[in-house]
Amino acid sequence: MNLIFLGPPGVGKGTQAKLLCNKYGILHLSTGDILRLEISKKTTIGNFAKEFIDKGELVPDDTLLKMMKDRLCLDDAQNGYLLDGFPRTIEQAKGLNLILKKIGHKIDSVISLYANEDELVNRLIKRGLTSGRSDESIEIIKNRQKIYLDQTSPLLSYYHNVGLLIKINGVGEIKYINDEIIKIVNQYA
Ligand code: UDP
Ligand code: MG
C-alpha cells in the first residue's frame, strides 16, 4: 500500500502517519524529517535546504524530486510507504508520477487532512515551544501557511481529478481520526 498525506502545517500528518505506518508495517517517509536530518549532518543537500526551511519556503522541486527518486528506489521502499509532506507542488506531483511509472509503483490513495486556520496556528505555536524547530516562530508559521495555500493546496483538485483524494477532518481525538483513516485505507492493505 502506497499513500500520500496532504494537508497544511500542523494538521497532524506526522502524528497520524506514525500510527498508520506502525499498524500496517509500511515505511514513513516525511520529507521534512529527511531534510532536517540532512541539515543536522551538514550535508550538501542539508546546507542548501536550510536556507529555504528557515524562511518557511519550499526547497526547490528538482532537489526534492532527485532526493525522493533515490529514496523510493531503495529496498525498504518496495513494500509500501506513506509520503508525508511530499509532493508539495504540482511540479513535484508530476515529477513523482514519472518516478512511480519508471519504478512500477502506484499511489493507492491521497489522504487530505484539514482543520481551520486558528486551530493550526495554535497547534504550531504550542509545538514551537518544545520542538526546537527553526521554522516555528509566528512569522515563519504565517509564511508556511501562505506557501501551503499558494503552492500546495492546488494539489487537492489535482488528486481529486484523478479520483485519489479522500478528505478527513483533522480536528478531534487522535484515536478517532486514526480510525477514520484506517476505515479508508483498509481496502488497500
Ligand atoms: N520542506 C520542503 N519540502 C518538503 C518537505 C519540507 O520544502 O517536501 C521544507 C519547507 O521549508 C517546510 C519545512 O521543510 O516549511 C518543514 O516541513 P515539514 O513537512 O516538516 O512541516 P509540517 O508541514 O509537517 O509542519
Ligand atoms: Mg510534519
Side-chain angles (χ1 to χ4, degrees):
M1 165 164 76
N2 299 325
L3 304 171
I4 292 175
F5 267 19
L6 193 59
V11 79
K13 298 186 297 293
T15 304
Q16 292 297 336
K18 281 187 193 86
L19 291 172
L20 212 66
C21 289
N22 277 336
K23 177 171 168 68
Y24 292 106
I26 59 175
L27 185 67
H28 179 200
L29 289 175
S30 157
T31 42
D33 288 349
I34 295 172
L35 290 170
R36 279 185 289 276
L37 187 69
E38 297 287 335
I39 291 175
S40 74
K41 293 197 287 192
K42 297 194 161 47
T43 61
T44 311
I45 178 170
N47 293 337
F48 177 71
K50 186 171 176 16
E51 306 222 0
F52 298 91
I53 292 184
D54 284 351
K55 289 185 278 188
E57 277 160 24
L58 295 185
V59 179
D61 294 336
D62 53 348
T63 305
L64 259 298
L65 283 168
K66 167 83 178 67
M67 186 177 97
M68 290 309 281
K69 183 175 183 205
D70 294 345
R71 187 64 191 85
L72 292 175
C73 286
L74 298 183
D75 282 349
D76 64 353
Q78 308 314 308
N79 298 304
Y81 46 77
L82 190 167
L83 303 180
D84 163 6
F86 173 85
R88 260 174 152 90
T89 66
I90 296 280
E91 263 325 286
Q92 288 179 19
K94 289 181 179 166
L96 175 63
N97 276 345
L98 294 177
I99 294 168
L100 295 175
K101 205 175 237 177
K102 216 174 253 172
I103 60 180
H105 293 183
K106 82 174 202 338
I107 298 297
D108 294 296
S109 184
V110 178
I111 309 280
S112 147
L113 288 167
Y114 62 89
N116 64 64
E117 205 165 307
D118 285 349
E119 169 82 17
L120 294 171
V121 175
N122 288 337
R123 286 188 193 179
L124 288 168
I125 291 173
K126 208 164 140 198
R127 180 166 91 186
L129 297 175
T130 53
S131 70
R133 273 176 55 166
S134 54
D135 61 349
E136 300 206 312
S137 69
I138 183 78
E139 309 86 76
I140 304 295
I141 288 170
K142 290 273 179 211
N143 198 34
R144 283 164 58 201
Q145 284 189 312
K146 185 180 178 314
I147 301 260
Y148 174 80
L149 210 67
D150 292 349
Q151 301 194 48
T152 306
S153 70
L155 289 178
L156 294 169
S157 33
Y158 179 86
Y159 283 119
H160 172 76
N161 289 340
V162 293
L164 286 177
L165 192 76
I166 304 284
K167 291 186 187 172
I168 305 250
N169 188 350
V171 183
E173 288 277 331
I174 290 174
K175 172 83 180 70
Y176 174 81
I177 298 166
N178 184 234
D179 286 342
E180 292 297 296
I181 300 174
I182 289 170
K183 277 187 215 158
I184 307 274
V185 303
N186 246 337
Q187 59 184 307
Y188 307 114

